[in-house]
Amino acid sequence: MSFHQDRIGIALSGGGYRATAFHLGTLKKLEQLGILSRVNVISTISGGSITGACYCSRKGDFDAFYQDLYSGLQTKNVIKRILLSWMGLRFLVFLLLFIGSGYFLFTSYAWLFPIAIVLLLLVLLKFQFQLFPISKRIEQIYDEFFYQHFMLGQLPDQPTLVIGSTNLQTAKPFSFSKDWMQDSTYQYMDDPIKFKPAKYPLARAVMASSCVPFAFTPVTIDKEFFDDEAEAGKVHPVLVDGGVYDNQGIHKVMQSGQYNCGIVITSDAGCGSSGEMSFKNTFSLLMETVNVFMSRIKKSQMVRNVYDNASTVNKQVAYFSLGWDTENCISGFITNLDKQQITRFVIDAHQLKPEWVAAPRKYETEITTYLKNRLGYDAIPKPTPEEKKIARSVSTNLTALSKQEVDCLIKQAEALTELQVKLYCPSLFQ
């Protein structure tokens, strides 16, 4: 067995607090199954980075981690804290100036109204990031809520936490971990640029990973974190949400390299489109456009890393999404078997009969009954239709969730995690 084949990797997708809560359920179930302590790599994106970083910064006390994050999701409102800060006050003043300029319309100086509007817009366009450094404020809030001045260098050796962001300067992923902070473009330059992760704030790495384009200020790397501070003048990383490049976090653990794993569990907090949409402003249109880009990336990754896995990399890959129904997991497995998208190892581990493998549709009833008994399907607690509806209705922002919303997200994640891991990663139970 090669170096990577028995290594276990977890990928936690983006999706704001919804993802944070969903992945909390994933980690809870993996802890109950005795798998979490054996994990080698946790690759995280955006909302998944909040969960992964909280877990790794509290490694060794799962119950304390779980209770802190469980209650934090219900009480720690990032957006509210921003609005109640000095930056929120500045935004309010700017908004009042914008609205107040309408006063000129009711005077003999009505001609000043368009001039005032243009001037205010020019100020906003030129100095937006200086006037409203939202990412810096969110970093402070993350640190206060979750990380308490924790640095990358304080992370445990196992699991390796790798936090993903996207570098707009190079159009490549920029990764943060305990001993590694890098972009492959810089790594393979004739004169490689190196960074110092040891004292880099964990909250800032999570902020870079969750820096939604159009909404938050891009994150830059201060010169003190360059191995050679003089090199800070040569390259200028501009970091935004890791989901722009890889919205599932699966890229790191599937590709060859230091994070490569032979057993991959991918927890995806996406749940697809809710149907009809309405756009009331340019910002909402831009945000939905970004979502389309990320969805396209996700589908491409699923084809390459999940569905084509049996004929290419031949790993054990358990993938599940918030939008999936537990009732369809076994039928989905049979569909993949019919399409020859199940690896020979998994087929043999489940001891599937040769005739079943040759004609899955013909023996679908027998295979379903067999797998349900093998997995203990009936004993797995499953969310009700109403609980699934509540979980999927949760938005992807950073406002506090209700206890019911958190519980529904966790319950959905737990059921899907147990089913999919038992189906697609059987070696973990041998």
Side-chain angles (χ1 to χ4, degrees):
M1 185 174 286
S2 66
F3 173 70
H4 74 273
Q5 283 182 305
D6 59 347
R7 284 169 33 107
I8 305 170
I10 299 176
L12 304 179
S13 79
Y17 267 8
R18 180 177 76 190
T20 302
F22 185 76
H23 301 321
L24 183 60
T26 297
L27 297 190
K28 179 184 177 184
K29 177 53 64 175
L30 292 176
E31 172 72 6
Q32 292 173 349
L33 294 173
I35 295 171
L36 189 57
S37 62
R38 297 151 54 192
V39 169
N40 301 96
V41 179
I42 300 180
S43 173
T44 67
I45 298 293
S46 195
S49 295
I50 298 176
T51 307
C54 281
Y55 169 69
C56 289
S57 63
R58 293 163 176 76
K59 184 68 165 57
D61 192 344
F62 183 85
D63 290 340
F65 147 72
Y66 181 85
Q67 290 302 325
D68 285 350
L69 190 53
Y70 178 78
S71 61
L73 285 166
Q74 300 169 52
T75 58
K76 296 175 178 177
N77 193 322
V78 175
I79 304 302
K80 182 178 179 180
R81 184 62 65 89
I82 292 173
L83 294 175
L84 294 178
S85 68
W86 283 109
M87 190 177 65
L89 179 61
R90 284 200 302 274
F91 178 77
L92 179 61
V93 170
F94 189 88
L95 184 63
L96 289 175
L97 286 173
F98 197 86
I99 296 172
S101 62
Y103 166 78
F104 291 119
L105 291 173
F106 303 97
T107 70
S108 58
Y109 300 99
W111 57 274
L112 284 175
F113 173 72
I115 295 175
I117 292 295
V118 169
L119 287 175
L120 287 170
L121 288 175
L122 287 174
V123 168
L124 181 63
L125 290 172
K126 187 173 180 61
F127 302 106
Q128 177 187 347
F129 293 158
Q130 289 84 1
L131 288 171
F132 310 113
I134 296 178
S135 292
K136 289 184 178 180
R137 181 61 187 134
I138 292 179
E139 177 194 332
Q140 295 168 354
I141 296 169
Y142 278 169
D143 199 53
E144 176 190 344
F145 282 179
F146 303 116
Y147 307 118
Q148 291 77 49
H149 309 300
F150 206 91
M151 306 295 178
L152 291 180
Q154 296 175 274
L155 289 168
D157 293 326
Q158 184 172 330
T160 297
L161 175 68
V162 52
I163 298 172
S165 65
T166 303
N167 186 356
L168 294 182
Q169 190 199 41
T170 63
K172 293 284 184 68
F174 192 105
S175 303
F176 299 89
S177 63
K178 178 178 181 176
D179 302 314
W180 188 251
M181 185 173 148
Q182 191 54 273
D183 176 316
S184 60
T185 300
Y186 305 146
Q187 181 184 358
Y188 294 110
M189 293 171 62
D190 291 337
D191 185 13
I193 306 274
K194 298 180 180 179
F195 302 88
K196 298 185 293 187
K199 294 185 178 181
Y200 196 84
L202 181 60
R204 191 173 304 172
V206 174
M207 180 61 248
S209 180
S210 56
C211 185
V212 180
F214 309 119
F216 301 152
T217 318
V219 175
T220 56
I221 305 295
D222 296 337
K223 68 178 182 179
E224 65 188 280
F225 299 110
F226 281 75
D227 203 42
D228 179 354
E229 292 189 6
E231 293 179 334
K234 297 180 181 178
V235 299
H236 306 91
V238 179
L239 309 181
V240 297
D241 196 305
V244 174
Y245 191 92
D246 169 19
N247 195 39
Q248 297 164 300
I250 195 173
H251 178 73
K252 291 283 186 300
V253 289
M254 289 296 292
Q255 68 175 356
S256 61
Q258 61 182 320
Y259 305 119
N260 189 16
C261 294
I263 304 170
V264 175
I265 301 167
T266 303
S267 179
D268 178 11
C271 59
S273 171
S274 58
E276 292 296 324
M277 298 179 182
S278 61
F279 303 107
K280 295 184 173 66
N281 52 59
T282 302
F283 179 76
S284 64
L285 180 61
L286 286 171
M287 291 301 296
E288 190 55 41
T289 302
V290 171
N291 289 337
V292 171
F293 290 155
M294 292 182 177
S295 176
R296 181 176 174 83
I297 292 167
K298 180 171 75 172
K299 290 174 182 176
S300 175
Q301 289 179 321
M302 285 179 65
V303 170
R304 183 176 65 252
N305 298 319
V306 180
Y307 298 127
D308 288 348
N309 173 57
S311 60
T312 54
V313 291
N314 200 35
K315 298 185 178 189
Q316 295 178 69
V317 180
Y319 172 90
F320 48 91
S321 173
L322 170 60
W324 288 14
D325 295 317
T326 52
E327 296 81 4
N328 297 331
C329 286
I330 291 178
S331 63
F333 181 90
I334 295 171
T335 297
N336 291 336
L337 187 64
D338 187 47
K339 294 180 178 180
Q340 299 182 348
Q341 292 172 340
I342 303 295
T343 65
R344 172 49 58 181
F345 176 87
V346 172
I347 290 171
D348 292 342
H350 283 306
Q351 300 176 358
L352 301 180
K353 297 178 181 179
E355 59 268 29
W356 293 356
V357 177
R361 290 304 181 194
K362 181 180 178 181
Y363 296 99
E364 185 165 0
T365 302
E366 292 92 327
I367 299 172
T368 300
T369 301
Y370 172 80
L371 288 176
K372 281 188 173 182
N373 290 332
R374 182 178 178 85
L375 304 179
Y377 177 85
D378 292 336
I380 297 174
K382 304 171 189 66
T384 64
E386 180 61 24
E387 288 172 329
K388 286 187 284 189
K389 182 179 179 181
I390 292 170
R392 292 166 185 166
S393 68
V394 177
S395 65
T396 59
N397 59 35
L398 296 172
T399 57
L401 307 180
S402 69
K403 183 179 185 301
Q404 184 184 44
E405 289 173 329
V406 175
D407 288 342
C408 288
L409 283 162
I410 288 174
K411 188 172 182 179
Q412 170 76 336
E414 285 186 286
L416 288 169
T417 300
E418 183 166 357
L419 273 171
Q420 290 297 94
V421 172
K422 284 182 174 180
L423 278 169
Y424 293 91
C425 302
S427 70
L428 294 176
F429 303 93
Q430 292 178 347

